Structure formats: C-alpha cells, structure tokens
Amino acid sequence: MTLEAIKYKQGQLQILDQLLLPGESRYISIAGVEDGWRSINTMQVRGAPAIAIVGCLSLVVEIYGKQYETKEELHAELSKHLQYLVTSRPTAVNLKLAADDVLAQANNLLDEKTTDAETMKKSIIESIEQMLEKDIKDNRAIGDNGANVLLKGIDRPLKLLTHCNTGSLATAGYGTALGVIRSVHERNLLEHVYCTETRPYNQGARLTAYELVHDQLPATLVTDSMVAALLHTRKIDAIIVGADRVAANGDTANKIGTYQIAVVAKHHQVPFYVAAPFTSIDFDIEDGSRIRIEERPEKELTHLGGQRIAAPGIGCWNPAFDVTPAELITGIITESGVFKPSELAKQSKAK
C-alpha cells in the first residue's frame, strides 16, 4: 500500500505535513484558502501535481458550506482566491493551469442563464474533487508507459537513479518518476534504485527514501555530488526525474541539481528521462529561458533542523529549481505516451 499524502472527504481536507518527515507522520487540517496557500508556500505539501490538487481542494473547503445569493458573488470569490493561490509557488505550472481551468468553467457557468449559484458551486466542487482520482489514474499510466520504454528489449532487472521526490508524497498517489520505478518493481525487474539526497531541502533523503523504505524497494541513498562517481563506477541503466514545468520545446524545470545530473548522464551515455503529466507542460512558454525560477529563503540552506550549519555572515544563493535543456533529455514520459522533446509541439496541437 502506497502512502497517502492527501486525505479529502466531503469538504474536509487533510495533508501529511512533509516538513516533519521522516521523523513524524502527522496530518494537518486545511480549513480554507489561507491554509492551502501557507501549506504550499512553506512546503508542507510539495510536488507539482500535489500542489495543484491541494490548492484547488483548499478552495473547495473555503466555499463548501457557504451560501451565495448570486453567481456573480461566487464568481468574484473564486477569481480572487485562485489568483491568490497561484502566488504560493510560481515555478510549478500545474496549479496555474488548474486554476485557469476552474476559472474557465466558472466563466461558462456564469454565462448560462439556467444555472443558479448553488448549481454553479456544486459543479465547480465536483470537477475539483475529480482531480484526485484523475491524478492517480494518470500516474499509473505514466508508470506503465515509463516501464515499457525502459524495459524494451531488456530481459534483466534494471539499476535506476532518481532525484528529488516524485512519488505518492508529491502527487495524489503512486507518483510520476517514482511511479515508473514502482511499475518496474511490480514486474520484478528492478534490481536497485539510487536516490539523491537532493539539496538544499533534502526531499530525496527525507521523502523519497521514506517512500522506498515504506514500499520495501531495494534502494541506496547517495549525495548529489556522488552522481558522477556513481555513473562511472556502476552500471546505471537509466535516470528518471520529475518536472515542475516543461516548456513547449522540452526544456524542463525541476528541483535544483537536475541539470547537472543530465550533463553527467550525457557524458556517461545514460538515458535521461523526465516523467510528468501533461498538466506540467506549459505550451505557452517557448523555451526554458521563460520559466520563472523560484528562490527559497537562505535559512533553508544555512540551517538544518533549526541548527545553523553554515558560517554566520556567508551569502547564499538558493534557487529551488534549474532548467535542463531539451537536448539532454532522452524522452518525456506522460500518461499519453513517451515523447522526444521535439515531438511536444505536435502533442500540443493534438490536445
């Protein structure tokens, strides 16, 4: 049984506080949009798909028990809250796209003369609630598609490497890149998986390792700076990472450190895959230079568990993400199939 990071039922939302992992597993209640924004901004919940789901579900909690006299009143509140939620973490595109979809639905319902405010509210709530089920279904498809491409022409167990956290804790369940690894394991063809610690916030050491141990997958933790040595000394069959935003040309923003792993993979001729749902692909952005890179507080780099580990007075540069150029990416694994970065433009038209 995989971990459940998001619990939702009939207007009540709880999330697993990922800041406390792996030392403590505690669920916290999200009482509305303010709580949702704060949980995303402080990274109590993280991972692009999970951010979108928690953000939108916090909106459901906010409006669930309220009565609206007019559709215009409801529409104004939805618009205000959605604009606010999108500011919580700007790099991950999933929340923005989800917010755009909800607002587009609200706009259509506002124009329908036969729809009243209560019907409009119920319709918005139902569509957001379906996001949880759809995300798990999409993750399963990503896992199967990724396993198929990794195992094509290979009849032996694989050694894989992943970076950051892309599993049940980053999604509604199962995961994207970690979902691919889970799918390989379910076929009894996973020899070993290596996970990086993922500086500066240690999602790999705290969260991915937590999931791997929970699922009893054969795994080893390495530091980010060991990847080149690992690829040089041991046969790694493929690297699979997630994505917070993919540009139309395939350039991919992911957790800081992804770019250098891709460069090292290219040198050692190790296939480098990105696993992400289509909601992570921003077809409105031509290339990675247009992706806004979030910078995190210095304290996340200088302190560990509240204890300062860096010399006082030292300056810090703490970007949360970097951008991997499309030419370093072997393929992008989605719920609809595996595509070369150059093929994404065609998929935009197909969608």
Side-chain angles (χ1 to χ4, degrees), residues 196-303:
T196 59
E197 62 182 349
T198 319
R199 294 283 177 162
Y201 216 47
N202 296 98
Q203 286 97 329
R206 293 190 303 109
L207 307 180
T208 301
Y210 181 84
E211 292 200 45
L212 294 171
V213 170
H214 179 276
D215 286 8
Q216 298 182 331
L217 272 62
T220 297
L221 174 68
V222 298
T223 68
D224 293 5
S225 57
M226 290 178 185
V227 172
L230 178 69
L231 299 190
H232 178 68
T233 58
R234 304 186 187 186
K235 171 63 178 174
I236 302 298
D237 293 290
I239 297 168
I240 312 101
V241 301
D244 285 83
R245 185 177 298 213
V246 181
N249 73 334
D251 290 352
T252 296
N254 192 48
K255 184 65 181 179
I256 191 74
T258 304
Y259 178 26
Q260 65 192 27
I261 294 174
V263 171
V264 171
K266 181 84 168 180
H267 176 77
H268 289 92
Q269 298 181 319
V270 176
F272 183 92
Y273 288 95
V274 171
F278 258 92
T279 52
S280 293
I281 303 173
D282 190 347
F283 291 107
D284 293 331
I285 290 182
E286 184 178 349
D287 58 53
S289 67
R290 304 269 309 276
I291 298 176
R292 177 183 170 188
I293 299 300
E294 171 192 353
E295 292 197 21
R296 301 291 300 172
E298 290 186 359
K299 191 173 182 179
E300 293 178 4
L301 187 61
T302 60
H303 289 69

Side-chain angles (χ1 to χ4, degrees), residues 66-78 106 109-110 112 115-121:
K66 292 184 179 180
Q67 299 291 324
Y68 298 91
E69 292 186 4
T70 67
K71 291 192 295 182
E72 287 76 13
E73 180 188 359
L74 172 59
H75 184 276
E77 183 164 342
L78 291 172
L109 292 169
L110 185 64
E112 290 183 5
T115 301
D116 60 18
E118 185 63 20
T119 302
M120 177 177 173
K121 187 183 83 168

